[in-house]
Amino acid sequence: MEVIKTKLKGCVIIQPKVFGDERGFFLESYNYERYKKMAGIKENFVQDNRSRSTKSVLRGLHFQKNKPQGKLVTVTSGEVFDVAVDLRVSSPTFGQHESIILNEENHTQFYIPPGFAHGFVVLSETADFQYKCTKYYDPLDESGIIWNDNDLKIDWPVGSPILSNKDLMQLTLKEYREGLKVKL
């Protein structure tokens, strides 16, 4: 397994060791001790989720306000452009983002620690997106940042994504920051 640090503290890219031959492949998708030692992921995962989306569907940028979730994300079928945005107020990289292409061929995983917004857009005809969470999902605690916020400067590879009504009405980063009543 190879661990690649990003500019956002705690956000890491993981390339699992893949064993393949003419029969197919095998990889270890998670091992608590190895991920703790090699990637610094100390949280316990309590919930696994999987979604399927069609081309140009954008989900995000989501987070939980009071029960922030860490996520270990991967794509088991198809391809997505995946994004994490640092929402940790005391972080020197607050408001900055990291992005990566995840697909069924590269088997790449992206760990997004608690305190980040997360989203992705589907680049293939369909994509199966799978992720582990460090806290249970609470619909009363969910929130989000609007996907095309000018302050984030995310270079989404899709010009007119398909969005849910909820994702069309998310906060800007400025509104989020103002809601915290914290000066940065």
Side-chain angles (χ1 to χ4, degrees):
M1 153 175 143
E2 179 186 4
V3 177
I4 303 161
K5 292 184 179 180
T6 71
K7 66 183 176 198
L8 305 177
K9 186 177 181 182
C11 253
V12 293
I13 297 164
I14 300 167
Q15 292 293 160
K17 181 100 172 137
V18 179
F19 302 91
D21 59 24
E22 68 280 352
R23 300 170 298 155
F25 72 89
F26 170 84
L27 66 86
E28 185 177 74
S29 61
Y30 179 71
N31 175 310
Y32 176 77
E33 289 300 325
R34 183 172 290 122
Y35 279 55
K36 179 179 166 185
K37 181 179 178 182
M38 295 181 71
I41 301 170
K42 298 176 178 122
E43 295 87 5
N44 289 311
F45 294 103
V46 298
Q47 181 175 328
D48 283 4
N49 299 319
R50 185 173 177 180
S51 69
R52 175 171 289 157
S53 303
T54 56
K55 188 175 183 114
S56 298
V57 167
L58 192 151
R59 297 183 184 271
L61 299 159
H62 302 148
F63 65 94
Q64 291 198 161
K65 298 175 281 197
N66 300 305
K67 302 171 192 169
Q69 295 175 308
K71 296 177 180 177
L72 180 63
V73 304
T74 193
V75 169
T76 57
S77 175
E79 182 172 76
V80 308
F81 175 82
D82 198 76
V83 178
V85 176
D86 191 347
L87 296 181
R88 301 170 298 182
V89 177
S90 60
S91 171
T93 56
F94 176 86
Q96 293 182 31
H97 72 277
E98 187 72 42
S99 61
I100 186 167
I101 300 289
L102 303 175
N103 63 45
E104 65 187 283
E105 300 298 322
N106 66 22
H107 305 287
T108 300
Q109 296 174 313
F110 190 28
Y111 177 68
I112 303 149
F116 284 73
H118 172 256
F120 65 91
V121 66
V122 178
L123 303 176
S124 52
E125 288 306 311
T126 62
D128 286 355
F129 190 85
Q130 191 162 323
Y131 56 108
K132 303 176 94 45
C133 299
T134 60
K135 296 269 190 210
Y136 295 107
Y137 169 70
D138 181 352
L140 300 176
D141 196 41
E142 70 178 350
S143 191
I145 302 294
I146 192 76
W147 70 280
N148 60 352
D149 186 321
N150 289 331
D151 289 337
L152 296 179
K153 298 179 179 38
I154 298 171
D155 188 15
W156 295 98
V158 174
S160 297
I162 301 166
L163 297 151
S164 70
N165 288 335
K166 175 180 77 173
D167 286 343
L168 285 167
M169 302 179 53
Q170 298 291 9
L171 301 170
T172 64
L173 184 64
K174 182 179 178 185
E175 290 168 333
Y176 169 74
R177 187 173 42 225
E178 287 171 355
L180 296 173
K181 296 182 175 41
V182 174
K183 290 192 176 187
L184 301 174

